[in-house]
Amino acid sequence: MNALPELYAGMGYDVVLMGGTLWRSAGALALASEPSGAVHAGEEAGIRAMLRRHRRLAAIFCTEHPSGKTVAHFALTAEQSASVSVQRQFAQHVRRAEGRGEVRRLDWDAWQRRALACDRASLARHGTAAAPCLHEDGRRRLAAVAARDPALILYGYVTGTGEIAAYLLCRIEGGICQGLFVHWDDALADLRPTHLLYSAARKALLALPEVDILRVGRQSIPENPGLDAFKRHAGFQATPCHVGVLVHPLLAPILERTATAWLLGLIRRTLAPRFPGLNALEVLECAAPTRRALRRAQAHKA
């Protein structure tokens, strides 16, 4: 079984299944396709119908068509991993973490009992105060569902006292191992658990015969420079990924105009240094070039 819908819902996301793709809430106004970086092949009409039905402003997805917005998608093959270059400071943090704990594969019983602090801290950083996984009953149900999905694999950094300081959840399908969640406990962050987690889990996962490539997600919009630098320092390679954005059909005539994209960009660049929340306008700036790209692709097919 595929436990991803239950997993995302259990982590506090609103979940929509449409056109063979899982969409999860991205803030209050948008839906984003998962797993991150996977190309969405759905039709424009279907995406717009989904936005109307679920009363969302925008849908964010990866597309095979040049969309006007290209970001980095971080991944690594087994061959690349053998000669990976890790940034010096990152390697120092790995050695520090090795002296305080170890990375090992976890089962869902261990996650249920010992990773609550990781989930509580990580969801709080994303503004989620309540989610099924933060309560005993919901946690037990989610662990039972996840345990029935053989494609899921879980690695955790375990301290010398048995605490789970951080964990990485992946799903393996068709030779691709996709990182889904990396959660860590802020109270134990000084141990640098995610540094050793990325380093050790990368080696273990790419050593599996069923894994050809390990993906750990694409750049977000707006970007998170610290997270992107972390992945590069861990040795992951950046490949181009086209990000598309479509908006609710009632607002498309306005928001998908080239002039609107230019105006939104001007507002963002001018005011975001004082009002960081305006960086989110970058999502809507992608709507106009996405519309043009999809229309060109449709015309070529005709």
Side-chain angles (χ1 to χ4, degrees), residues 111-283:
W111 172 84
Q112 178 190 331
R113 292 184 294 105
R114 293 190 284 152
L116 176 58
C118 293
D119 293 325
R120 184 177 287 128
S122 295
L123 294 183
R125 286 193 296 270
H126 289 89
T128 302
C133 74
L134 301 181
H135 305 283
E136 184 177 349
D137 289 345
R139 201 167 183 81
R140 187 184 305 111
R141 287 193 297 270
L142 186 57
V145 169
R148 295 197 295 271
D149 186 344
L152 291 175
I153 189 166
L154 192 62
Y155 280 87
Y157 177 98
V158 183
T159 69
T161 57
E163 297 171 280
I164 296 177
Y167 73 83
L168 168 66
L169 173 61
C170 300
R171 194 170 193 276
I172 302 172
E173 186 174 13
I176 298 172
C177 181
Q178 178 69 54
L180 302 175
F181 298 108
V182 179
H183 285 183
W184 68 89
D185 182 357
D186 288 336
L188 299 173
D190 190 53
L191 300 177
R192 305 294 184 181
T194 53
H195 290 74
L196 184 57
L197 181 62
Y198 264 71
S199 178
R202 165 178 61 82
K203 296 174 185 176
L205 289 165
L206 287 172
L208 297 175
E210 64 268 35
V211 175
D212 298 321
I213 185 169
L214 171 60
R215 293 178 174 172
V216 290
R218 62 165 174 80
Q219 282 181 299
S220 60
I221 302 175
E223 69 178 32
N224 182 336
L227 179 58
D228 296 341
F230 180 89
K231 293 175 180 178
R232 287 192 179 94
H233 292 169
F236 285 90
Q237 306 296 306
T239 57
C241 174
H242 303 303
V243 177
V245 174
L246 289 174
V247 299
H248 192 287
L250 291 180
L251 295 173
I254 298 173
L255 293 178
E256 293 180 357
R257 295 174 59 189
T258 301
T260 302
W262 177 85
L263 179 60
L264 291 173
L266 178 64
I267 293 172
R268 176 177 59 85
R269 291 188 295 273
T270 303
L271 299 179
R274 293 180 58 196
F275 305 100
L278 290 176
N279 281 315
L281 290 176
E282 188 175 358
V283 171

